[in-house]
């Protein structure tokens, strides 16, 4: 009886010691979860419930760290948008403030009055254009708008963009020549409205810089290129320098030849973002007389 009592007492002590050790190890495992650090508490080689629990905790840690990184990137992106927006707002707001004060002067001539009013109108248009594009970009980048990729006919989306740019092209004296591979109608998975916006931005860029071009013809073409459909806009506006090609699709970037031209450097950036978010991409290459801007959509 004494022997059995001793065995029971010893097993009880061992059981308590084991439970205390497991609880301590579980506490260490919870610490790794709180600190989001991966540390082996239970042997991974053992096929036990505690090892499986540790594996699930590690997966949770990795998922939480990834989510934290996504959140950090979103915050940095939002900071960039706000910084860019505040920088772009300075000039038109300063003009509005300054020239509105000038209009309060009684000794202004009619010529000066019209000049100041024109500057104020241009500043208001710039603010309106800036706000509309920044709203599009911020909603797209922050995930407030999800592109609805559905099976659409490419030609219909392209012609929608042409319809929107036609009044401006006609005013600038530009001729848009449309070329399409007629052997087979091309369909692809994309968001029709946002893709039309991307194509419009490429056309708008070509029309805007055609003012000093001898040949104002703009060639808009659609063709199948492997697993992609290529929609390209070829202009005759003089080629973009090689050092600018990698920057032309950046937000708010404007080339050396953009002085005196309308715009704030958001159109091509928005085109690139729309293409990337649909599994496509964009490119630009120089020709003898101009450039070819292209957007590629997965067929």
């Amino acid at each position: 009886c004494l022997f059995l009592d001793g065995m029971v007492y010893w097993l009880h002590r061992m059981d308590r010691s084991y439970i205390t050790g497991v609880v301590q190890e579980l506490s260490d495992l919870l610490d790794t979860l709180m600190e989001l650090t991966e540390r082996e508490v239970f042997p991974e080689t053992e096929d036990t419930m505690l090892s499986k629990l540790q594996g699930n905790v590690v997966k949770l840690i990795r998922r939480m760290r990834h989510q934290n990184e996504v959140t950090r990137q979103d915050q940095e992106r939002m900071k960039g948008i706000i910084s860019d927006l505040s920088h772009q707002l300075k000039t038109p707001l300063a003009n509005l403030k300054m020239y509105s004060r000038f209009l309060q002067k009684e000794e202004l001539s009619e010529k000066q009055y019209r000049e100041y009013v024109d500057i104020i109108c241009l500043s208001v248009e710039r603010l309106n254009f800036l706000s509309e594009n920044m709203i599009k970009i911020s909603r797209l980048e922050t995930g407030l708008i999800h592109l609805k990729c559905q099976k659409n006919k490419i030609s219909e989306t392209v012609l929608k963009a042409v319809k929107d740019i036609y009044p401006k092209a006609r005013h600038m004296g530009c001729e848009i020549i449309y070329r399409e591979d007629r052997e087979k109608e091309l369909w692809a998975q994309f968001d029709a409205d946002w893709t039309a916006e991307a194509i419009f931005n490429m056309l708008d860029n070509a029309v805007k810089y055609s003012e000093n071009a001898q040949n104002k013809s703009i060639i808009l073409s659609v063709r199948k290129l492997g697993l992609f459909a290529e929609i390209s806009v070829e202009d005759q506006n003089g080629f973009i320098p090689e050092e600018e090609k990698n920057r032309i699709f950046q937000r708010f970037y404007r080339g050396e030849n953009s002085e005196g031209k309308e715009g704030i450097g958001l159109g091509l950036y928005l085109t690139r973002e729309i293409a990337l978010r649909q599994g496509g991409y964009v490119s630009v290459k120089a020709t003898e007389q101009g450039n070819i801007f292209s957007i590629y959509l997965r067929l």
Side-chain angles (χ1 to χ4, degrees):
C1 289
L2 290 173
F3 175 75
L4 290 176
D5 287 343
M7 286 293 295
V8 169
Y9 176 77
W10 180 76
L11 289 173
H12 179 67
R13 291 290 301 273
M14 289 292 293
D15 191 45
R16 289 187 60 183
S17 177
Y18 173 75
I19 292 175
T20 302
V22 170
V23 170
Q24 181 61 47
E25 290 174 333
L26 286 173
S27 177
D28 294 340
L29 186 61
L30 288 176
D31 288 339
T32 64
L33 180 59
M34 294 175 64
E35 298 169 1
L36 296 182
T37 56
E38 297 182 30
R39 187 170 72 249
E40 183 177 334
V41 177
F42 301 103
E44 296 181 356
T45 55
E46 296 181 2
D47 187 16
T48 63
M49 291 297 297
L50 293 174
S51 296
K52 293 178 180 178
L53 175 62
Q54 178 177 258
N56 290 331
V57 170
V58 169
K59 292 178 182 178
L60 180 60
I61 289 172
R62 292 174 180 173
R63 184 173 298 179
M64 293 174 67
R65 286 165 61 181
H66 173 72
Q67 187 61 41
N68 288 345
E69 179 62 22
V70 171
T71 302
R72 187 193 65 81
Q73 291 178 359
D74 288 341
Q75 291 175 345
E76 291 295 326
R77 191 179 298 115
M78 182 57 67
K79 287 180 182 178
I81 292 174
I82 294 173
S83 176
D84 292 338
L85 179 59
S86 61
H87 176 73
Q88 292 294 324
L89 288 173
K90 285 181 180 179
T91 301
L93 287 176
N95 286 340
L96 285 173
K97 185 177 180 180
M98 180 172 60
Y99 286 99
S100 61
R101 288 180 177 176
F102 289 166
L103 289 176
Q104 295 175 350
K105 297 181 180 180
E106 297 180 356
E107 65 274 12
L108 286 177
S109 65
E110 184 177 351
K111 181 180 179 182
Q112 289 176 320
Y113 180 83
R114 289 181 178 178
E115 179 183 352
Y116 296 162
V117 169
D118 288 342
I119 293 175
I120 289 175
C121 290
L122 288 174
S123 298
V124 171
E125 289 178 4
R126 182 177 175 85
L127 283 173
N128 183 60
F129 179 79
L130 175 63
S131 62
E132 287 180 353
N133 281 272
M134 287 303 299
I135 288 172
K136 291 176 184 177
I137 290 174
S138 61
R139 293 175 70 187
L140 189 65
E141 289 189 342
T142 54
L144 295 177
I145 290 180
H146 298 281
L147 299 184
K148 299 177 182 178
C149 295
Q150 301 173 344
K151 189 176 181 180
N152 292 295
K153 189 184 294 185
I154 292 178
S155 60
E156 292 182 355
T157 302
V158 170
L159 293 176
K160 181 179 183 299
V162 172
K163 182 180 178 181
D164 292 338
I165 196 64
Y166 179 75
K168 185 175 182 178
R170 183 178 180 182
H171 176 74
M172 296 288 290
C174 294
E175 178 188 15
I176 298 178
I177 303 171
Y178 181 54
R179 295 175 180 173
E180 181 184 3
D181 186 0
R182 295 293 182 179
E183 294 182 2
K184 185 178 181 180
E185 187 71 52
L186 292 179
W187 293 72
Q189 293 282 343
F190 60 89
D191 186 297
D193 292 334
W194 279 99
T195 303
E197 174 80 18
I199 299 169
F200 171 85
N201 290 336
M202 293 195 301
L203 289 168
D204 182 63
N205 187 75
V207 171
K208 180 167 54 181
Y209 290 96
S210 67
E211 184 176 1
N212 299 323
Q214 293 182 351
N215 186 351
K216 291 180 180 276
S217 297
I218 297 172
I219 301 174
L220 173 62
S221 59
V222 178
R223 63 168 180 161
K224 181 179 179 182
L225 191 65
L227 299 176
F228 291 87
E230 180 192 39
I231 305 167
S232 60
V233 176
E234 181 178 354
D235 60 54
Q236 311 291 327
N237 303 336
F239 64 89
I240 297 173
E242 193 67 30
E243 60 271 15
E244 288 190 23
K245 285 185 179 179
N246 294 330
R247 305 172 62 189
I248 200 70
F249 292 101
Q250 293 179 3
R251 184 169 55 201
F252 292 119
Y253 179 78
R254 305 195 70 198
E256 295 180 357
N257 64 338
S258 63
E259 185 176 356
K261 299 290 190 302
E262 63 176 12
I264 52 177
L266 287 176
L268 293 178
Y269 169 77
L270 189 57
T271 295
R272 187 194 69 175
E273 288 298 303
I274 293 169
L276 292 176
R277 291 171 189 274
Q278 299 183 109
Y281 62 100
V282 294
S283 71
V284 57
K285 58 183 178 181
T287 63
E288 293 183 358
Q289 297 180 331
N291 312 278
I292 300 177
F293 288 86
S294 302
I295 181 172
Y296 299 85
L297 303 173
R298 286 186 177 275
L299 293 173

